[in-house]
Structures are given as C-alpha cells and as structure tokens.
Amino acid sequence: MDFSHLSRLNPWWKNGSEIYNDEKIKSFGAAKIRWEPRLKHYLVFDRDKIYTLRGPRQVGKTTLCKILIKELIEQGTDPKSIFYYSCDLVPNGEELSELIALYLDWVAAFDVGRKYIFLDEISNVKNWENGLKHLVDIGSMRNTSTLLTGSHSIDIKKSIERLPGRRGEGEETLDKILLPMKFAEFAETVNPSLKVLFDKEQLRSNHKRQEIIQGLFEGKIDPVVRTLQVYQEDLNTLFTQYLITGGIPKPINEFFTTGKINNSTYEIYIRSLMGDLARWQIPEIAIKQVLSSIILKLTTNVSWNSLAAEADLGSHNTASKYVQSLENSFVLNTLYAINPSKGTLNITKDKKVYFKDPFIFHSLRSWVSGSGNYFESSVDHINDPTDKSKLVECIVHSHLVRLMYNTFPSDVFAPEDHIFYMKTKRGTEIDYVLRSKNNELLAIELKYQNQLQSSDYKSLSSMKKGIMLSKDTFEIEGNYMTIPVTLFLLLI
C-alpha cells in the first residue's frame, strides 16, 4: 500500500479546511433538506472504543462519517489524527492491518494525542476482524477511537463477536444502527418550527418521550401532546409525504426539490441491495419471488411453509433464510406471536412480515411488479386507502421496534423478545403487544380509518392497558387512550 494513496483520501492532513471540499460535505451543504441523525450524539470519541455503525444502503453512513470528521476538525482536533478509508478494495484482514499500521507509523512522528480511525464498508474485507485484533493485541490501537461501518447486519455482527474484551466495552452500547429517519426526525427536519418545539420541550430525550408514552397507557395526556395537537393538519401532510419518500435523504431531497423522485434513485438502491445479497449467494430471482409473496400478504399472517410454496422455494428453511437475509439487509422486520398464557414468544405460529421504510417498500414493490415509473407507482399505491393503511402498519411496527430498543438498549437487543402480536381468547387479534420494563404486557391497536366504532376496541378489551392508534381521533374510550398515529410516532 502506497502512503501517497492514503494521503489523497485524507486531504485534511495537508490543510484542515480541505474537509469542506469533500464531495459528501459539499452535497450535504447544498441539500435542501439536511438531516443530522440523532444517533450522531451517541458516538463519543473520548476513549479507546471500537464502534460499529450498520444500516441500509443510501441511508447516509459515509456522510455521517465525514460530518463527524468535519466537527472534530472544527473543534480544534489535529487533522493528522483523523484517518478515513473506504474499504471497497481491501481484500483481507492482513492487508487491512498493514494499511492501518502504515497510517499509525506515519502519525507517530507527530504529537497529535488521541487518534480517530474511520473505516467505511468494513464488511467488504474478508476476515477484517483478524487484522484489527492483531493491532489491538500488540497495543497499536491505544489512544485511538475507531468507527467501522457496513451495510449488512450479519457481516459486522458475526465478525465483531470475535473481538471480545478488545473494544472498550462498558455500559455504553458500541454497536449502532443508522436506520432511515423516523417520522419525528423527518418532521423536524422538513418543518423547522417542529424542530424548535422539540428542542423547547426536550423531546430529543429518550427518557422524556418514554415517560409521555407510558402516561398514555395510564390514560394521562402530557401537556406536550396537547401542544403537538396544534400541528395535526401539518402532521397529516408531512405523514403523507413520508409515506412516499420514507426516511432516506436522497429521495427526500429530490421530492422536496423537484416534486418527484427519479427512477435512477430507486434503481441505485435496488442494485446495491442485490449486490449485497449476491455476496451471500442468494439469487436475484428468488428474492423477487419472496418479495412478491410478502407484498401480496402484507400485514396478514404467513408461515414459512406457505411462503416457500408460493415463492416456489422448495423448503420452509429456504424461505426463512431468505427473509432473514432481507432482515439483515435492513429491508424487512418479522413480528412473532406471543403465547398469551405464558407471555412468551411462540415461534411455531404464523408470522407477520413488514417493511422497515416506505422508500425501500416502494422501490422493491415496483421492481418486482415491473413498473416502469417508480414514483408514479408509489403515489398511486398510497392513494388507495387499503394499501395506504397496510403501509402505515409497517411504519408503526418499525417505530415500535425502535421504541423497544430505546427502552432496552443493548448490543444483543432482539426485537422478538419485546414486541409481538397476539391472538386473544375471544378470537380477535391485537396488532402489537409490548413487554414493558416491569414485564407488563401493553397492547397497541391500529385502526387507520376515518371513523371508529365501539366494536373496534373489542381486541383491546382483553388487556389491562392499551392504546388505540387512529387516523385523526383523539379521545379516551373507556380505559383506553385513542391518539392519532402521527402524534404517537412523534414520541418515538
């Protein structure tokens, strides 16, 4: 590896102001909608730590790396102490170790203090953990903070497990996931007045938001929620836009700049995803068949056997494997049933499979259907009330997964331990059941429709505590709070 190659990729070593000429930083500065993920504030480079940052393609992991580098330089950090490298062409862990050692040998000549290493798309490197482990074991990574990024959950997760005790472990979670914007992040990014309100009411605080949500289950309405009601009309408009763009920066910016999203933006995402799956020897045609079946049965109960039969996969194990690969690529979430009498997960029952993000959903739905115009197809889709409500159900589930992670933050967090659906003894079904910190089961029912009837609350009546998520209704019906889904999502 030639040192001049490293120098070209880190132009701030010559002059710190060169960071402003970085293409990612320039694109971010020129964007109409600029999103700085809340996650950024949970990356603290003050000790010898090895963070991982996973997330779907196009979500902005590289941009976040460059923003963090820019902020370090602006805070007075010696630019020579910051090393960035995109690992697309690094073949193995041995060469990765040599590459990092080359930088560390060079920077040792300067009194820079703490060093900061950003390794982008580390999962492209075969056995990368061996190279990093070697450097940690010989003491080369002392006084160094490291951030590793990747686009496939399992790639990094499995490898990082081979570095126990070498990452600066403590109470903090080191494995971060950068997902597309939550609705709250989308709303505050697009509507500056909401950003001011969130700051004023401390709605960036996980503790504050969880406190408000817990109050809703108790039938208590925090004054902040009443304040948010004033924005209900704005929120409805924002939510419709979110149902089209999802939470990925590029399509959001195209939509708010030109009023549409280019076909090429959808196709870039699809090609990137297919490339990742090909590395796992998963054929494209099989993915198309699986997705087609899942989309057809969206929000309904499915078994791996039925999915295998409909997608012509031959085996329920194959169906499960392909769905899991799409989960690991941040495309899908799986919701499992709970055994009501035992309060435990029931893996033998049918599952529900949801999409994580609207843009990802529209991209793949149009792709498998052979639609010629992705954007028009997405607009037509959400103009159908039934299809729209199914997509809303996906969004609510993905947000509840994030709520549960914020409640039980852990590097080994598993959604299936905390969120379920439930068949009641009365033959009804509760859309979502959450397990609280004190092991209490909390019910959430979604009815995204213009009018609610007393019969809509039938499934909730089997639970002590529950919330009804509505389209626009805000009231207390007997023992249960009814709140517009847009207001509820703002609290997650």
Side-chain angles (χ1 to χ4, degrees):
M1 179 64 67
D2 192 331
F3 179 78
S4 62
H5 174 64
L6 302 190
S7 181
R8 284 194 299 272
L9 294 175
N10 295 268
W12 47 84
W13 291 350
K14 294 180 181 176
N15 187 329
S17 63
E18 283 297 317
I19 186 61
Y20 299 107
N21 292 323
D22 182 89
E23 288 303 317
K24 293 292 185 183
I25 294 298
K26 288 197 294 185
S27 295
F28 180 80
K32 183 180 179 71
I33 307 296
R34 291 190 289 274
W35 172 47
E36 292 199 9
R38 293 176 180 178
L39 175 66
K40 184 185 77 170
H41 303 290
Y42 295 89
L43 295 165
V44 183
F45 302 120
D46 59 346
R47 294 186 289 113
D48 292 0
K49 292 183 281 193
I50 299 177
Y51 285 112
T52 66
L53 180 66
R54 295 170 283 160
R57 292 284 184 175
Q58 311 298 315
V59 78
K61 297 185 296 296
T62 302
T63 298
L64 179 56
C65 285
K66 295 300 179 68
I67 288 173
L68 290 167
I69 290 170
K70 178 176 77 71
E71 291 184 351
L72 283 169
I73 293 172
E74 290 172 343
Q75 292 162 9
T77 302
D78 190 323
K80 291 188 290 295
S81 69
I82 304 168
F83 174 53
Y84 170 86
Y85 198 84
S86 179
C87 299
D88 297 303
L89 300 179
V90 181
N92 54 53
E94 183 178 354
E95 290 207 17
L96 178 69
S97 177
E98 292 174 0
L99 181 150
I100 297 171
L102 182 61
Y103 163 70
L104 292 173
D105 288 345
W106 171 76
V107 79
F110 309 95
D111 184 19
V112 299
R114 176 160 296 280
K115 298 170 287 295
Y116 309 88
I117 295 178
F118 297 82
L119 300 175
D120 211 358
E121 293 298 341
I122 190 74
S123 48
N124 288 330
V125 182
K126 185 177 181 180
N127 298 324
W128 61 264
E129 69 280 3
N130 293 337
L132 211 56
K133 177 179 178 294
H134 170 71
L135 292 171
V136 172
D137 287 347
I138 65 175
S140 295
M141 301 293 282
R142 290 196 189 101
N143 205 21
T144 302
S145 299
T146 307
L147 177 63
L148 318 173
T149 83
S151 297
H152 194 281
S153 180
I154 291 298
D155 277 343
I156 289 185
K157 192 174 180 181
K158 283 188 174 179
S159 297
I160 208 68
E161 288 170 354
R162 302 189 185 108
L163 294 174
R166 297 176 173 87
R167 301 179 57 202
E169 289 92 345
E171 293 184 3
E172 178 190 10
T173 58
L174 296 177
D175 297 324
K176 309 297 185 182
I177 300 180
L178 181 61
L179 293 172
M181 296 181 208
K182 298 181 291 188
F183 178 61
E185 292 179 288
F186 176 87
E188 70 171 354
T189 302
V190 172
N191 187 328
S193 62
L194 282 170
K195 185 176 187 299
V196 172
L197 177 63
F198 287 177
D199 289 336
K200 179 184 176 183
E201 301 293 348
Q202 299 180 329
L203 282 176
R204 297 179 191 282
S205 162
N206 281 334
H207 177 74
K208 172 74 170 177
R209 297 197 306 272
Q210 289 175 16
E211 190 178 72
I212 295 171
I213 290 173
Q214 183 60 44
L216 294 176
F217 283 106
E218 305 287 346
K220 302 171 185 175
I221 304 175
D222 190 283
V224 173
V225 179
R226 292 299 190 190
T227 302
L228 290 171
Q229 269 190 282
V230 177
Y231 293 85
Q232 187 61 61
E233 191 174 334
D234 295 327
L235 293 177
N236 289 342
T237 300
L238 287 166
F239 194 53
T240 299
Q241 293 165 338
Y242 183 72
L243 288 170
I244 295 172
T245 67
I248 296 179
K250 184 175 175 60
I252 291 172
N253 267 287
E254 287 183 2
F255 178 79
F256 283 98
T257 302
T258 67
K260 66 176 185 178
I261 301 169
N262 294 327
N263 264 14
S264 60
T265 301
Y266 296 95
E267 290 173 350
I268 287 171
Y269 168 76
I270 293 165
R271 286 197 299 271
S272 299
L273 174 64
M274 291 307 114
D276 287 340
L277 293 171
R279 291 176 51 226
W280 289 81
Q281 288 80 50
I282 298 176
E284 185 175 305
I285 186 64
I287 291 299
K288 263 191 174 181
Q289 290 171 307
V290 169
L291 288 171
S292 180
S293 182
I294 289 171
I295 291 167
L296 188 65
K297 289 184 168 294
L298 195 62
T299 74
T300 64
N301 302 345
V302 298
S303 68
W304 298 145
N305 279 325
S306 65
L307 190 61
E310 290 170 10
D312 197 24
L313 299 176
S315 163
H316 68 280
N317 291 326
T318 303
S320 175
K321 172 189 171 184
Y322 289 172
V323 169
Q324 189 174 48
S325 293
L326 288 164
E327 285 189 270
N328 292 331
S329 297
F330 306 98
V331 173
L332 302 175
N333 285 318
T334 301
L335 180 65
Y336 293 85
I338 189 171
N339 186 320
S341 60
K342 297 181 180 179
T344 55
L345 175 71
N346 191 334
I347 61 172
T348 63
K349 294 287 187 182
D350 288 354
K351 294 83 177 163
K352 293 188 178 185
V353 183
Y354 294 114
F355 284 81
K356 284 183 183 287
D357 176 80
F359 173 76
I360 291 173
F361 168 75
H362 292 308
S363 299
L364 295 172
R365 187 189 64 83
S366 296
W367 176 61
V368 301
S369 68
S371 172
N373 189 309
Y374 291 81
F375 179 70
E376 286 185 6
S377 178
S378 66
V379 173
D380 289 343
H381 190 79
I382 69 161
N383 281 336
D384 180 284
T386 301
D387 289 335
K388 185 176 183 179
S389 68
K390 290 180 179 181
L391 185 53
V392 172
E393 191 171 330
C394 289
I395 292 170
V396 171
H397 179 255
S398 69
H399 279 65
L400 291 176
V401 171
R402 293 160 95 149
L403 172 64
M404 287 293 94
Y405 174 80
N406 289 334
T407 306
F408 301 95
S410 167
D411 286 334
V412 293
F413 172 81
E416 59 269 22
D417 293 333
H418 304 284
I419 176 170
F420 323 87
Y421 78 91
M422 187 171 79
K423 294 277 191 181
T424 71
K425 293 179 180 179
R426 301 179 182 183
T428 59
E429 186 175 286
I430 299 174
D431 291 327
Y432 316 102
V433 175
L434 311 180
R435 193 191 304 282
S436 72
K437 280 187 174 180
N438 59 5
N439 214 30
E440 191 175 23
L441 296 181
L442 308 173
I444 296 180
E445 187 72 5
L446 171 65
K447 298 292 183 187
Y448 195 74
Q449 56 200 41
N450 293 327
Q451 298 292 330
L452 291 176
Q453 309 297 327
S454 58
S455 59
D456 291 324
Y457 293 83
K458 183 179 179 182
S459 58
L460 280 180
S461 64
S462 62
M463 301 288 285
K464 290 182 180 179
K465 294 181 180 179
I467 294 174
M468 173 67 76
L469 301 182
S470 68
K471 189 174 183 180
D472 293 301
T473 306
F474 197 157
E475 64 184 16
I476 296 180
E477 173 71 21
N479 298 322
Y480 307 105
M481 176 73 65
T482 300
I483 182 172
V485 65
T486 50
L487 285 183
F488 182 78
L489 294 178
L490 282 185
L491 302 173
I492 296 177

